Amino acid sequence: FLVEFGANKDQSCTDDGVTPLLMAAQEGHLEVVRFLVESGANKDQGTTDDGVTPLFTAAHSGHLEVVRLLVELGANKDQGNTDGGATPLHIAAEKGHLEVVRSLVELGANKDQWTTDYEKTPLYIAAQKGHLEVVRLLVELGANKDQGNTCRGETPLHIAAEEGHLEVVRFLVESGANKDQGTTDYEETPLYIAAQKGLLHIVRFLVESGAADDEGMALFAADKYGHFEVVRFLVGSGVNKRPRHHR
């Protein structure tokens, strides 16, 4: 009714630039979203504070049907916000919205796109948050398991090990992720990071899966930070005698 009488469809709040379309998408009002877009509302207009689009906010809230509709109506699937460059797929992966992630990838979203701040991929973020099913889905859909960020070259396996997410670590290793890949700054492997953090359950799994510590760096880190159970395990395992496999 208001639109028919000439109300401005894209007029936003003055403090953060939230438009009627963005608010409808955030609240999951599918038919309101459809009407506004078909009436000419700017489907890619971002907020003025952080550049969040209607599609981004729908993905953030887990509103699957709104996400699908906006993409089908031509919304930019890979438009990042201005506060770090996170895309709708990044935020869906972060929040663990499995079906939204699936839909965005199947509709053509870039599954390996980096954020602009720390250059994290959706898979990296899902691994960091411990969202196993999202990690599994992204890998099955072809996401790069060994793509490191440019800050330190940390891969999804590095961050899953650092955060102590055993089932994510297990899945990535069993899916072929490089368990001996070092970071680009100090050549820290997932085993080194887990040992440094004192995460015995991660250390044990990585060693039992064949990870190497040929230079004794993981043992050194565990000893330095007082993780003596990890030290005891590493010494007993003989892991420092294994050759490291670079790739």
Side-chain angles (χ1 to χ4, degrees), residues 192 212-223 234 239-241:
Y192 175 93
D213 187 33
D214 56 334
E215 297 177 0
M217 293 304 295
L219 180 59
F220 171 80
D223 183 61
L234 289 172
V239 65
N240 61 317
K241 298 176 183 178

Side-chain angles (χ1 to χ4, degrees), residues 160-221:
E162 182 175 345
E163 297 295 329
H165 299 311
L166 178 60
E167 293 309 312
V168 175
V169 170
R170 186 191 310 277
F171 173 76
L172 288 169
V173 170
E174 292 176 351
S175 297
N178 186 350
K179 55 186 173 291
D180 290 326
Q181 185 166 328
T183 57
T184 54
D185 51 3
Y186 300 112
E187 281 288 305
E188 296 174 355
T189 64
L191 177 59
Y192 175 93
I193 290 172
Q196 183 183 50
K197 294 281 186 178
L199 301 172
L200 179 59
H201 62 305
I202 303 294
V203 169
R204 186 187 305 276
F205 174 77
L206 288 170
V207 170
E208 291 174 351
S209 298
D213 187 33
D214 56 334
E215 297 177 0
M217 293 304 295
L219 180 59
F220 171 80

Side-chain angles (χ1 to χ4, degrees), residues 103-176:
S103 185
L104 285 168
V105 174
E106 291 178 346
L107 289 168
N110 184 349
K111 55 187 174 291
D112 290 321
Q113 184 166 327
W114 282 329
T115 57
T116 55
D117 49 3
Y118 297 106
E119 301 208 345
K120 301 176 180 179
T121 64
L123 178 57
Y124 182 102
I125 291 172
Q128 183 177 27
K129 295 295 183 179
H131 296 313
L132 175 61
E133 293 308 314
V134 175
V135 169
R136 189 191 309 275
L137 176 65
L138 287 168
V139 170
E140 290 173 350
L141 292 174
N144 187 338
K145 300 183 292 292
D146 294 321
Q147 185 170 331
N149 60 25
T150 57
C151 179
R152 297 187 62 235
E154 284 187 319
T155 66
L157 182 54
H158 281 104
I159 195 62
E162 182 175 345
E163 297 295 329
H165 299 311
L166 178 60
E167 293 309 312
V168 175
V169 170
R170 186 191 310 277
F171 173 76
L172 288 169
V173 170
E174 292 176 351
S175 297

Side-chain angles (χ1 to χ4, degrees), residues 3-185:
V3 172
E4 291 173 353
F5 278 83
N8 186 339
K9 302 179 291 294
D10 294 321
Q11 184 170 333
S12 61
C13 300
T14 56
D15 55 347
D16 55 10
V18 173
T19 64
L21 177 57
L22 190 142
M23 184 59 67
Q26 179 177 306
E27 298 300 319
H29 299 314
L30 183 67
E31 294 308 317
V32 176
V33 170
R34 187 192 309 275
F35 174 76
L36 287 169
V37 174
E38 291 178 347
S39 297
N42 184 346
K43 55 189 173 291
D44 291 322
Q45 183 170 328
T47 55
T48 55
D49 55 353
D50 55 10
V52 166
T53 64
L55 179 56
F56 184 100
T57 195
H60 180 280
S61 300
H63 297 311
L64 176 61
E65 295 306 318
V66 175
V67 167
R68 285 176 174 165
L69 176 65
L70 285 168
V71 173
E72 289 168 359
L73 292 175
N76 186 339
K77 302 180 291 292
D78 295 320
Q79 183 171 329
N81 63 18
T82 55
D83 183 25
T87 67
L89 182 54
H90 284 106
I91 197 62
E94 179 179 332
K95 296 299 179 181
H97 297 314
L98 182 66
E99 293 308 316
V100 174
V101 170
R102 186 192 309 275
S103 185
L104 285 168
V105 174
E106 291 178 346
L107 289 168
N110 184 349
K111 55 187 174 291
D112 290 321
Q113 184 166 327
W114 282 329
T115 57
T116 55
D117 49 3
Y118 297 106
E119 301 208 345
K120 301 176 180 179
T121 64
L123 178 57
Y124 182 102
I125 291 172
Q128 183 177 27
K129 295 295 183 179
H131 296 313
L132 175 61
E133 293 308 314
V134 175
V135 169
R136 189 191 309 275
L137 176 65
L138 287 168
V139 170
E140 290 173 350
L141 292 174
N144 187 338
K145 300 183 292 292
D146 294 321
Q147 185 170 331
N149 60 25
T150 57
C151 179
R152 297 187 62 235
E154 284 187 319
T155 66
L157 182 54
H158 281 104
I159 195 62
E162 182 175 345
E163 297 295 329
H165 299 311
L166 178 60
E167 293 309 312
V168 175
V169 170
R170 186 191 310 277
F171 173 76
L172 288 169
V173 170
E174 292 176 351
S175 297
N178 186 350
K179 55 186 173 291
D180 290 326
Q181 185 166 328
T183 57
T184 54
D185 51 3

